[in-house]
Amino acid sequence: NRFETCWPALMKDSHGVIIIFNPELASHLKEIEMWYSCFVQQQPLLDSQCLLVAHHKPGSAEDTENLSLAYPLNKLKLIHSNLEEDPEDVRMEFMKYFRSLITIIDESREREEMSIIS
């Protein structure tokens, strides 16, 4: 990947990772394992700091809605986005994800402050 040299800069001080993929492409299903390994496991981030988004293009096959991913991806929060049908659902899921990240960041900051004090 020609952008691999940029990855450390992208990852520096990141609090979350959103991986968007096309569930109809077998190559994408393999690639998300690599993205998860590089951007989540090697940082390391918590699984709760990662969101998987299976994006369905207009007129795409419906059977990919019942997507079952292999371990360790099956531990992650997975949402299906279909902006034609449920844009509001997708927006609500993103809001939940960002709220959970803020909670994690706040808790981490509190732990740091307590360790400085004690």
Side-chain angles (χ1 to χ4, degrees):
N1 191 318
R2 62 175 179 235
F3 297 115
E4 226 167 300
T5 52
C6 304
W7 289 1
L10 289 172
M11 290 189 269
K12 185 175 168 14
D13 299 329
S14 64
H15 296 294
V17 175
I18 298 172
I19 300 172
I20 301 172
F21 65 99
N22 181 342
E24 290 184 61
L25 295 179
S27 62
H28 275 207
L29 297 178
K30 284 305 296 173
E31 280 176 35
I32 57 176
E33 291 178 24
M34 182 267 297
W35 292 114
Y36 171 74
S37 171
C38 293
F39 281 83
V40 180
Q41 288 180 313
Q42 289 176 31
Q43 290 229 62
L45 292 177
L46 301 170
D47 285 340
S48 56
Q49 289 169 275
C50 181
L51 177 66
L52 291 181
V53 181
H55 184 64
H56 300 267
K57 293 181 177 175
S60 63
E62 289 300 311
D63 58 352
T64 52
E65 283 283 348
N66 299 316
L67 192 63
S68 60
L69 297 170
Y71 180 86
L73 297 174
N74 61 2
K75 302 183 301 174
L76 304 175
K77 173 76 175 166
L78 169 68
I79 67 169
H80 292 269
S81 86
N82 184 329
L83 299 181
E84 276 194 326
E85 290 176 21
D86 285 322
E88 189 57 27
D89 279 5
V90 174
R91 194 177 76 83
M92 291 304 294
E93 289 292 350
F94 270 94
M95 293 303 291
K96 276 195 274 187
Y97 170 68
F98 290 126
R99 274 199 292 269
S100 74
L101 280 189
I102 290 166
T103 302
I104 290 168
I105 294 164
D106 285 346
E107 286 170 357
S108 165
R109 193 172 294 140
E110 278 176 27
R111 276 196 304 274
E112 273 177 40
E113 288 169 0
M114 290 309 289
S115 69
I116 292 166
I117 292 167
S118 54

